[in-house]
């Protein structure tokens, strides 16, 4: 394909981005299977719960890691760029163009190296060379080019398009049958002791009302874990969730999270409060009873209200508008149901998307309340390194200041034949360690099932 003529006649810019509609039998996910099988990293897969927007992104025009991957650094980076972006569609389709995609670490102050996370420990973002996006029924191809004084734009464009065409011709990969999976919950008794210690701390320090504690399950099999296979199985098994895969080198972070952190359109900021949970029932009647009990359970309602109050307080302060909270409803995933409340605020041009993300993260659903005290407790007491677990994962459109981030829960990180799955729960004054252990056991289930693991009795 020849380079679009307007790219040849435009003035000098830092980045050039061309977005074109595509009649393509491949989907972003089938492309992701090919990309991950060929180990074309960095790469990212993204899919929204309603399946309205999906993309596969790979190759890199710029790679931002460690301190560069903080949301503050990304905002400063975006403000000094000159980007030429062209589309035949007029308005820019969602999740196309000059995007930064990736994830920011749960705790940017944690700079310790990690065998579990490898080069994902502090998170990273990248401007992809190629993005295949399907949004609201139409497929788009984005080709991004970083300016180089020695770069011929026509040659660069044709090279990138040829890479896309070559990958398009590759067959969708097949996968080996599951090998035997070994699983081990890590330091469960120590974690339960920390739950008890945290409850005592909350009772002794009234201004600390909630702390979210996370724990791990180690997994291992004879053959290397394949990201495309894991996400394929998750897509077959889970509903009403985001699906994501984020790879750098030999490490991949994968999840099926129900939780949106923030979506920003031109006129709205859209988030949600998800906190308080119970298992799904074995029958429809049992499921209804469990859900109804959750809706009326004082401990879970109070835990959910802590999240709602903080999110609304921060959005009202940012937007200078009043937000009226409604009652929560049930969000039902395959293994677990949550108290769920969508929250929408009006947006003005003065509100920067990444500043709001930075302000909200971590919500009390992942950190605690108040934020500073909860994070201080976690830094002192929680032994695991969270890396991207519970962190903002998603995409940011550099020219429109729009995008979407989910919360990296129901997730795991994989490296070769090994992996770690993560789960957490909110600890409040009346929490009981054994019940919290059972809750986290339920939250391990989506990823454990997605990698072919056996699901035992949650009470054991």
């Amino acid at each position: 394909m020849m380079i679009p003529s307007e790219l040849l006649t435009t003035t000098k810019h830092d980045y050039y981005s061309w977005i074109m509609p595509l009649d393509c039998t491949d989907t972003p996910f089938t492309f992701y299977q090919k990309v991950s099988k060929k180990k074309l990293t960095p790469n990212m897969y993204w899919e929204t719960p309603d399946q309205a927007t999906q993309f596969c992104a790979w190759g890199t025009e710029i790679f931002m890691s460690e301190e560069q991957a903080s949301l503050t650094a990304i905002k400063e980076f975006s403000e000094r760029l000159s980007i030429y972006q062209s589309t035949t569609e007029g308005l820019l389709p969602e999740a196309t163009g000059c995007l930064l995609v990736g994830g920011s670490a749960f705790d940017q102050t944690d700079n310790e190296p990690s065998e579990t996370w490898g080069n994902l420990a502090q998170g990273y973002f990248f401007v992809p060379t190629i993005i295949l996006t399907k949004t609201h029924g139409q497929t788009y191809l984005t080709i991004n080019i970083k300016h180089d004084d020695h770069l011929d734009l026509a040659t660069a464009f044709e090279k990138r398009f040829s890479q896309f065409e070559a990958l398009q011709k590759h067959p969708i990969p097949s996968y080996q049958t599951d090998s035997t999976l070994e699983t081990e919950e890590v330091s469960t008794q120590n974690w339960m002791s920390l739950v008890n210690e945290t409850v005592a701390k909350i009772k002794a320090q009234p201004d600390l009302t909630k702390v979210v504690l996370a724990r791990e399950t180690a997994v291992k099999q004879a053959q290397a874990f394949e990201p495309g296979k894991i996400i394929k199985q998750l897509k077959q098994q889970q509903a009403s969730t985001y699906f994501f895969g984020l790879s750098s080198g030999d490490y991949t972070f994968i999840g099926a999270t129900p939780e949106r952190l923030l979506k920003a359109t031109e006129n709205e900021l859209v988030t949600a409060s998800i906190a308080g949970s119970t298992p799904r029932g074995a029958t429809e009647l049992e499921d209804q009873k469990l859900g109804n009990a959750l809706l009326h359970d004082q401990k879970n309602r109070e835990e959910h209200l802590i999240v709602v109050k903080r999110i609304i307080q921060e959005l009202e302060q940012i937007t200078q508008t009043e937000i009226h909270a409604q009652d929560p409803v049930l969000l039902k995933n395959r293994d677990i149901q949550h108290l769920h409340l969508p929250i929408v605020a009006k947006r003005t041009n003065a509100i920067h998307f990444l500043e709001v993300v930075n302000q909200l993260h971590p919500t009390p659903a992942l950190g605690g309340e108040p934020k500073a005290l909860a994070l201080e407790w976690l830094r002192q007491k929680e032994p695991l390194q969270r890396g991207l677990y519970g962190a903002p994962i998603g995409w940011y459109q550099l020219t429109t200041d729009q995008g979407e981030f989910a919360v990296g829960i129901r997730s795991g990180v994989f490296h070769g034949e090994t992996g770690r799955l993560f789960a957490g729960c909110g600890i409040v004054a009346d929490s009981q360690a054994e019940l919290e252990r059972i809750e986290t056991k339920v939250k391990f289930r989506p990823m454990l099932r997605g990698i072919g693991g056996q699901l035992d009795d949650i009470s054991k």
Side-chain angles (χ1 to χ4, degrees):
M1 183 177 182
M2 297 296 294
I3 186 171
S5 58
E6 54 264 47
L7 283 181
L8 293 175
T9 57
T10 185
T11 56
K12 179 180 174 180
H13 297 274
D14 297 316
Y15 290 89
Y16 303 88
S17 186
W18 178 255
I19 306 102
M20 64 197 83
L22 204 64
D23 184 11
C24 182
T25 56
D26 270 305
T27 67
F29 181 65
T30 58
F31 253 86
Y32 176 72
Q33 290 178 282
K34 298 175 186 181
V35 165
S36 62
K37 190 75 170 180
K38 291 177 68 66
K39 301 186 184 301
L40 303 178
T41 65
N43 63 58
M44 181 174 181
Y45 180 73
W46 170 267
E47 183 175 321
T48 56
D50 59 3
Q51 300 180 322
T53 299
Q54 309 160 23
F55 69 72
C56 173
W58 70 98
T60 178
E61 298 303 298
I62 188 168
F63 188 88
M64 305 173 70
S65 60
E66 299 180 354
E67 66 274 3
Q68 291 180 322
S70 74
L71 296 173
T72 301
I74 290 170
K75 176 180 178 292
E76 293 171 354
F77 168 76
S78 69
E79 290 172 342
R80 62 177 184 264
L81 288 181
S82 170
I83 300 171
Y84 178 83
Q85 196 159 251
S86 178
T87 174
T88 60
E89 297 295 290
L91 294 175
L92 188 67
E94 186 170 303
T96 65
C98 198
L99 305 183
L100 267 174
V101 305
S104 182
F106 177 85
D107 184 355
Q108 284 288 326
T109 70
D110 185 356
N111 297 316
E112 292 297 320
S114 169
E115 184 177 346
T116 295
W117 289 96
N119 51 2
L120 294 179
Q122 280 81 48
Y124 76 91
F125 287 87
F126 67 106
V127 173
T129 300
I130 301 173
I131 311 169
L132 187 68
T133 306
K134 185 174 183 180
T135 182
H136 302 289
Q138 175 63 56
T139 302
Y140 298 92
L141 177 66
T142 297
I143 292 179
N144 291 315
I145 304 171
K146 182 181 179 181
H147 175 81
D148 184 328
D149 286 332
H150 304 288
L151 179 71
D152 177 74
L153 274 179
T155 301
F157 181 88
E158 290 168 6
K159 178 181 178 181
R160 286 156 172 76
F161 192 81
S162 295
Q163 290 172 346
F164 169 77
E165 286 187 313
L167 197 58
Q168 197 173 19
K169 294 174 184 176
H170 277 268
I172 300 170
S174 56
Y175 302 105
Q176 298 180 22
T177 56
D178 292 329
S179 61
T180 302
L181 185 73
E182 300 175 23
T183 66
E184 180 184 1
E185 295 184 22
V186 179
S187 303
T188 303
Q189 291 304 315
N190 290 342
W191 184 83
M192 293 176 71
S193 296
L194 181 56
V195 171
N196 291 330
E197 186 180 355
T198 303
V199 169
K201 176 71 173 179
I202 291 170
K203 289 178 177 178
Q205 187 172 346
D207 51 344
L208 179 62
T209 58
K210 178 182 179 181
V211 177
V212 179
L213 297 178
R215 68 187 187 101
E216 303 169 282
T217 288
V219 296
K220 184 178 181 180
Q221 63 181 25
Q223 61 201 40
F225 287 99
E226 299 195 72
K229 178 182 179 180
I230 295 172
I231 296 181
K232 179 181 180 180
Q233 293 177 164
L234 287 170
K235 282 164 59 65
Q236 292 168 347
Q237 296 162 357
Q238 301 295 326
S240 303
T241 65
Y242 293 87
F243 299 104
F244 64 82
L246 183 64
S247 295
S248 178
D250 295 327
Y251 290 82
T252 302
F253 182 51
I254 294 172
T257 174
E259 188 164 352
R260 169 186 281 161
L261 179 59
L262 186 69
K263 179 175 182 178
T265 66
E266 183 179 3
N267 301 311
E268 286 186 332
L269 299 171
V270 185
T271 183
S273 170
I274 296 179
S277 61
T278 195
R280 297 297 303 272
T283 65
E284 185 175 348
L285 179 60
E286 183 188 19
D287 196 58
Q288 290 176 350
K289 287 182 177 179
L290 287 168
N292 190 57
L294 177 61
L295 285 168
H296 295 89
D297 180 74
Q298 182 178 354
K299 183 258 185 187
N300 279 289
R301 287 297 294 261
E302 289 178 353
E303 184 182 337
H304 185 262
L305 188 59
I306 289 171
V307 181
V308 172
K309 283 182 175 180
R310 163 108 86 75
I311 290 175
I312 288 180
Q313 178 184 356
E314 291 184 338
L315 286 180
E316 285 182 336
Q317 182 179 355
I318 291 166
T319 63
Q320 296 297 298
T321 60
E322 189 174 0
I323 301 171
H324 298 283
Q326 307 296 318
D327 288 331
V329 296
L330 294 174
L331 175 65
K332 294 176 180 279
N333 301 129
R334 176 166 178 170
D335 299 284
I336 193 168
Q337 45 192 323
H338 298 279
L339 295 176
H340 173 244
L341 179 65
I343 300 171
V344 181
K346 293 181 180 179
R347 184 189 185 191
T348 65
N349 291 335
I351 298 172
H352 196 291
F353 171 46
L354 292 182
E355 288 180 348
V356 185
V357 174
N358 213 22
Q359 184 71 19
L360 291 179
H361 171 73
T363 72
L366 271 298
E369 185 66 13
K371 181 192 292 189
L373 290 179
L375 290 178
E376 181 183 0
W377 181 254
L378 291 174
R379 287 165 183 154
Q380 291 174 3
K381 297 293 184 177
E382 189 173 73
L384 65 82
Q385 187 173 14
R386 290 200 182 188
L388 290 171
Y389 169 70
I393 308 292
W395 60 275
Y396 172 58
Q397 223 294 335
L398 286 162
T399 59
T400 64
D401 190 32
Q402 298 176 27
E404 184 168 16
F405 283 90
V407 180
I409 59 173
R410 308 294 129 78
S411 55
V413 61
F414 301 91
H415 175 231
E417 300 82 21
T418 64
R420 291 285 176 121
L421 313 183
F422 301 92
C425 57
I427 308 304
V428 294
D430 57 352
S431 291
Q432 300 175 43
E434 175 59 14
L435 295 180
E436 304 301 340
R437 183 194 69 81
I438 291 173
E439 180 179 326
T440 50
K441 189 115 175 171
V442 173
K443 290 176 177 177
F444 281 130
R445 284 190 158 207
M447 282 304 300
L448 192 58
R449 183 185 283 109
I451 61 175
Q454 297 296 314
L455 306 182
D456 56 11
D457 187 336
I458 61 172
S459 66
K460 295 180 180 179

